[in-house]
Amino acid sequence: MKKKKEPHPLLKGGKSRGDCSSYSHGFSSSQIQSLSAICQVLIPPLHPLDDDDDNANNIQDLPNMAYYNSFCNSSGPDEVAELLVKRGSPKAVFIVSLVLKLLSSRLGTLLLCGFTCLDWKWPFVHKFAELSLKKRESILQRWCRETFLLPLRIVFVQLKVICFFVFFSLIDENLCNPAWEAIGYQVEVIESPTKTEEKPLEKGLIDITNKNDSSLKESLIQKGLFVAEDTNDGTYKIKCDVVIVGSGCGGGVAAAILAKSGQKVIVLEKGHYFVPEDYSGLEGPSMSELYESGGMLTTQDGKVMMLAGSTVGGGSSINWSACIRTPDYVLKDWSTKYKIPLYSSHEYQSAMDAVCDRIGVTENCAEEGFQNQILRKGCENLGLKAEPVPRNSSTDHYCGSCCYGCRRGEKKGTDSTWLVDAVNNGAVIISGCRAESVILMNGHNGDVRKRCIGVIATPENKNIRKKLHIEAQVTVSACGTLMTPPLLISSGLENKNIGENLHLHPVSFVWGYFPESLVELKGKCFEGGILTSLHKVQSEESDNTQAIVEAAVLGPASFSALCPWVSRRNMNDTMIKYARTAVLFALCKDQGSGEVKKRGYIKYRLSELDKENLKTGLRRALRILISAGAEEVGTFRSDGQRIRCKGTKDEDLEEFMDNVTAVGGPRSRSEYWTIYCSAHQMGSCRMGANEEDGAVDENGECWEVKSLFVCDGSVLPTAIGVNPMVTIQATAYCISTRLAQYLKKGRFL
């Protein structure tokens, strides 16, 4: 007998609370009134608009109109404010709060909005909420283009992104959003057997979420760990051989290899553990629970939005399944220019083989989804090559929501492969626990290098007052490119390469609308395998790849948040076409770099070559969409750059292409801007031949601290130009295999 899946409560979300007293955002009622007035302008009603937009709110006979009115005039602004305070930077929240406060007064509105708020009748000067929709729209359009008073543009961007994300991700008690019907979106219903088997990691997992001090201690002891309570400093002292911070592509592999070699391994993970039947496929709660900062972490200038995993399995639990081996030219570069022999060795090639075998990489795809059909068809019509993308799933895996966790259980992330191996060999995984610092002590016998003897971790559960003091022979930081440097720096490490050399594989999007009449292209943008084909844009002057073009998965909340807002009418038209809008992106192997030295504070700059390569990639992606039969195409540039394809003269099309460039971010002083994305972060603790060139050596050990290893994407010397999962896992395989051999020889005793 089959039953409908009931997702995990954390991934289920819920409808708007409606009770103002339950919100903790701290905004006043007058600020919320101003925010409500902004929501009414930004959010489209999702029906054909009349000339008089002010009358749009009065149309009640459409299913989504009750939701639209309720959202804009009741609970929505509070939900937006709540998410803004939770996910926004303190500086951005302060600016938004100040602007909303000014807009709630007549004088403040005059200062920020100018003559638009003036009237010949009393009271002559109107507050923002008192202005007509058309006047409010013209003000927001001006803020979007603002080049002098950049804080107004930042306020526009913040509110636009969060308003749309909340509007299209908020769900009711039936796990549905009334706006989805109007845009042709639905979450796929997946059934599962009535009887559920034991969770693969259950026997080795300690989930701190529902523990208290006494039950946590008991659970640790039951897992075979030595635990002593220190009442003086309020800690549990735990002993093991190896402690690993992070459970993603690096940490998962390291845990498996080291546990199999006979070491007692503890894995710390700040996120939660979920299995396929827990996943909901719901964009809002899934992003909140499975992604770092709910998927809303950006660089300090707001230019690049980061997508990084924050759950047991890390990025491997929510990535797009691509399993591409490290390109030969990259391996040659790392082994010669960066003097790291590992990458030219048979050892590394064997590691890639072992990784691909363990995660079940398949080369073929039985049926491609809507967007990958378009990518392949467009390339074929242009005489270009579209390459298949190997995936860690079956050939007939047809799942468009793996970015919210694979509900079919076919994607082989570390949570269903390497971590299972680790647990089967006695490893213990502690979820819901954040590493605070590594523990350092002075070296022995005059050794100037310090030695790492473990980790201090803090449970995320406030019911647990004691910290965990985990002592280990070896400590491995595998918490990712964005989190490893802050952990090491806050612990006292000073190597200049820690937190530098950050590469992001910056991504910029284009879109193409394909009406239902194109029957040969079946499906919708959210159906089918996310990434099954790619196209490499080769340089005309050399064999170098300037960019790669791939299909993107953007749920309605993410799509609307990133999509340019030009006007209420334009956004209305865009979202109604969402289901048949294909989104492709251009990704470049970035030469520019950034830094991340404090948690949540990321700086990054594109090089001129990066901008040129992205421009070339965007233009190629647009031509692919046009060749595949798109009725209209466009970029994600702030002015809504687009062109209708049917009947357009070639010279007009070429003029459009000439104007497609890689523009700056929201804080640039140019009129046009965009938001880039990054799902591949690398290099912030790179390997180097010496401590001048890198943060760690070829074995992954920190140059300045003994027994402290880094085993994640941060050790990669440069960007690699393709999806990095196999590269990270193969590197981790080599590091942990060598480490296991050293431990057997007693090197760290």
Side-chain angles (χ1 to χ4, degrees):
M1 182 178 178
K2 301 275 187 175
K3 69 173 184 178
K4 185 178 179 180
K5 284 187 175 185
E6 184 68 19
H8 191 284
L10 290 174
L11 301 177
K12 190 175 179 180
K15 67 175 182 178
S16 174
R17 288 164 285 191
D19 178 12
C20 294
S21 64
S22 65
Y23 293 106
S24 59
H25 52 66
F27 285 16
S28 68
S29 59
S30 60
Q31 287 174 308
I32 292 298
Q33 184 183 35
S34 297
L35 182 52
S36 175
I38 290 174
C39 288
Q40 291 168 10
V41 181
L42 290 174
I43 305 295
L46 302 177
H47 69 81
L49 291 174
D50 297 327
D51 290 335
D52 183 7
D53 285 0
D54 281 320
N55 292 327
N57 292 346
N58 298 322
I59 301 176
Q60 300 293 339
D61 58 347
L62 293 169
N64 58 291
M65 283 310 300
Y67 173 59
Y68 168 82
N69 285 321
S70 173
F71 182 89
C72 294
N73 302 312
S74 179
S75 59
D78 283 300
E79 296 285 346
V80 170
E82 198 81 353
L83 186 58
L84 172 67
V85 171
K86 182 179 180 181
R87 299 300 186 193
S89 68
K91 185 183 294 185
V93 172
F94 172 76
I95 294 173
V96 171
S97 177
L98 178 60
V99 167
L100 291 177
K101 186 174 183 179
L102 289 171
L103 291 179
S104 65
S105 69
R106 302 186 194 285
L107 179 59
T109 303
L110 179 61
L111 289 172
L112 296 181
C113 305
F115 296 120
T116 306
C117 65
L118 298 180
D119 199 348
W120 290 107
K121 299 179 181 179
W122 178 262
F124 304 123
V125 179
H126 294 286
K127 293 186 291 186
F128 185 80
E130 297 171 344
L131 299 174
S132 68
L133 273 174
K134 285 186 177 296
K135 286 187 175 182
R136 280 179 271 158
E137 182 179 65
S138 68
I139 291 168
L140 294 185
Q141 288 170 333
R142 192 162 64 245
W143 288 5
C144 178
R145 299 189 300 268
E146 183 64 60
T147 58
F148 180 67
L149 295 174
L150 284 182
L152 291 179
R153 181 190 281 184
I154 299 304
V155 169
F156 169 82
V157 174
Q158 288 274 330
L159 293 181
K160 180 258 180 184
V161 167
I162 295 180
C163 277
F164 278 106
F165 189 87
V166 174
F167 181 77
F168 284 105
S169 66
L170 199 63
I171 55 173
D172 58 24
E173 62 275 8
N174 298 317
L175 306 187
C176 189
N177 179 304
W180 291 347
E181 183 179 353
I183 64 174
Y185 176 75
Q186 61 183 14
V187 176
E188 184 182 9
V189 176
I190 296 178
E191 295 184 337
S192 62
T194 302
K195 186 177 179 180
T196 304
E197 296 180 1
E198 183 185 47
K199 296 180 179 181
L201 303 181
E202 196 70 40
K203 66 180 180 181
L205 181 76
I206 300 176
D207 182 0
I208 286 184
T209 305
N210 300 315
K211 304 289 184 184
N212 55 34
D213 282 315
S214 60
S215 62
L216 172 59
K217 181 179 180 180
E218 183 180 345
S219 296
L220 291 166
I221 294 172
Q222 287 177 350
K223 299 298 184 186
L225 296 171
F226 170 83
V227 183
E229 187 173 351
D230 191 325
T231 55
N232 293 326
D233 59 6
T235 62
Y236 287 125
K237 292 190 180 296
I238 306 166
K239 291 187 178 181
C240 64
D241 297 319
V242 180
V243 58
I244 301 172
V245 182
S247 61
C249 290
V253 172
I257 300 297
L258 291 166
K260 187 177 181 180
S261 73
Q263 307 301 321
K264 187 60 180 179
V265 175
I266 293 177
V267 178
L268 294 176
E269 171 57 58
K270 69 176 183 293
H272 300 288
Y273 173 50
F274 302 106
V275 293
E277 53 262 37
D278 290 332
Y279 295 125
S280 64
L282 296 167
E283 187 176 8
S286 298
M287 293 287 287
S288 178
E289 289 297 328
L290 305 178
Y291 287 76
E292 186 65 48
S293 299
M296 291 191 175
L297 178 64
T298 69
T299 52
Q300 287 298 290
D301 59 3
K303 181 188 296 182
V304 187
M305 188 169 285
M306 307 290 165
L307 297 176
S310 184
T311 182
V312 172
S316 71
S317 296
I318 47 88
N319 68 13
W320 299 358
S321 305
C323 298
I324 303 173
R325 291 177 179 245
T326 318
D328 290 339
Y329 74 91
V330 172
L331 294 176
K332 181 179 179 180
D333 187 46
W334 290 353
S335 61
T336 55
K337 180 179 178 180
Y338 291 89
K339 299 180 176 60
I340 304 174
L342 169 68
Y343 289 109
S344 61
S345 67
H346 176 71
E347 177 188 1
Y348 185 78
Q349 294 293 331
S350 297
M352 284 198 289
D353 292 339
V355 164
C356 290
D357 180 65
R358 182 62 187 96
I359 63 177
V361 176
T362 53
E363 298 286 338
N364 300 316
C365 174
E367 181 184 3
E368 289 196 302
F370 174 67
Q371 302 200 121
N372 285 276
Q373 289 179 53
I374 288 169
L375 174 58
R376 185 172 295 279
K377 180 181 179 182
C379 286
E380 289 174 353
N381 290 344
L382 290 170
L384 302 172
K385 183 178 180 181
E387 301 179 17
V389 176
R391 300 178 294 162
N392 57 331
S393 57
S394 63
T395 57
D396 59 354
H397 184 50
Y398 193 79
C399 176
S401 61
C402 275
C403 53
Y404 311 131
C406 183
R407 290 183 290 154
R408 290 177 171 82
E410 292 186 29
K411 184 171 70 173
K412 295 181 173 65
T414 63
D415 53 319
S416 61
T417 54
W418 299 107
L419 289 174
V420 176
D421 297 344
V423 165
N424 288 340
N425 284 287
V428 176
I429 301 170
I430 305 176
S431 63
C433 193
R434 183 187 296 272
E436 188 177 291
S437 63
V438 298
I439 308 168
L440 305 180
M441 63 178 294
N442 293 327
H444 297 301
N445 302 322
D447 191 343
V448 295
R449 291 178 68 190
K450 291 185 177 181
R451 184 166 182 250
C452 183
I453 59 171
V455 172
I456 295 176
T458 304
E460 298 282 78
N461 183 352
K462 294 181 180 179
N463 293 324
I464 301 175
R465 295 183 295 276
K466 290 182 173 61
K467 294 183 179 181
L468 305 185
H469 183 120
I470 304 173
E471 295 181 6
Q473 292 184 55
V474 168
T475 300
V476 178
S477 180
C479 47
T481 299
L482 301 179
M483 296 299 160
T484 282
L487 175 64
L488 301 187
I489 291 172
S490 66
S491 302
L493 274 70
E494 298 178 346
N495 182 290
K496 67 179 183 179
N497 293 290
I498 299 176
E500 297 286 345
N501 315 300
L502 172 66
H503 295 281
L504 299 179
H505 276 179
V507 158
S508 191
F509 302 102
V510 297
W511 59 268
Y513 172 60
F514 295 80
E516 295 279 358
S517 57
L518 291 173
V519 293
E520 68 273 19
L521 292 171
K522 299 178 181 179
K524 297 182 178 180
C525 66
F526 49 86
E527 297 173 342
I530 297 171
L531 185 54
T532 56
S533 296
L534 67 79
H535 167 66
K536 295 177 181 177
V537 183
Q538 302 294 140
S539 171
E540 295 181 359
E541 289 78 26
S542 65
D543 293 333
N544 294 334
T545 300
Q546 289 185 273
I548 61 174
V549 176
E550 297 177 341
V553 56
L554 293 177
S558 300
F559 176 82
S560 61
L562 293 170
C563 200
W565 183 92
V566 178
S567 68
R568 194 162 177 259
R569 181 183 298 278
N570 179 275
M571 198 68 184
N572 190 76
D573 179 63
T574 297
M575 291 310 300
I576 287 175
K577 296 176 179 178
Y578 164 76
R580 291 284 291 182
T581 298
V583 178
L584 303 182
F585 65 82
L587 175 154
C588 75
K589 178 180 179 291
D590 46 329
Q591 304 301 311
S593 64
E595 66 175 52
V596 52
K597 299 191 175 185
K598 184 179 178 182
R599 197 170 73 191
Y601 289 84
I602 305 164
K603 296 180 180 179
Y604 181 78
R605 182 180 294 273
L606 289 167
S607 72
E608 290 304 314
L609 179 59
D610 296 335
K611 294 176 184 177
E612 183 65 26
N613 288 338
L614 280 172
K615 179 189 74 175
T616 303
L618 288 171
R619 294 179 180 181
R620 179 65 59 83
L622 285 166
R623 293 188 188 279
I624 290 170
L625 290 169
I626 294 170
S627 179
E631 183 177 279
E632 187 177 21
V633 298
T635 70
F636 278 55
R637 201 172 76 176
S638 59
D639 63 335
Q641 184 182 37
R642 62 174 66 193
I643 188 171
R644 293 190 66 83
C645 306
K646 303 299 181 182
T648 300
K649 296 179 180 178
D650 290 344
E651 53 265 32
D652 293 334
L653 181 60
E654 292 306 315
E655 182 180 356
F656 171 80
M657 289 293 181
D658 289 341
N659 288 318
V660 173
T661 59
V663 295
R667 290 192 180 180
S668 65
R669 293 203 172 271
S670 59
E671 183 177 353
Y672 306 133
W673 51 270
T674 193
I675 297 176
Y676 296 87
C677 286
S678 165
H680 309 153
Q681 300 90 35
M682 300 152 283
S684 57
C685 281
R686 71 180 179 188
M687 279 186 184
N690 52 57
E691 57 187 321
E692 286 295 314
D693 296 336
V696 302
D697 64 18
E698 188 182 56
N699 298 319
E701 188 174 21
C702 290
W703 283 106
E704 60 183 303
V705 177
K706 287 185 176 180
S707 305
L708 177 57
F709 289 74
V710 178
C711 200
D712 55 31
S714 67
V715 303
L716 304 184
T718 68
I720 63 174
V722 296
N723 304 64
M725 178 164 63
V726 169
T727 300
I728 295 172
Q729 292 198 18
T731 300
Y733 189 95
C734 293
I735 290 175
S736 53
T737 299
R738 291 181 177 186
L739 178 53
Q741 294 169 352
Y742 295 149
L743 283 165
K744 280 187 176 180
K745 295 176 182 177
R747 170 182 164 182
F748 299 106
L749 295 177

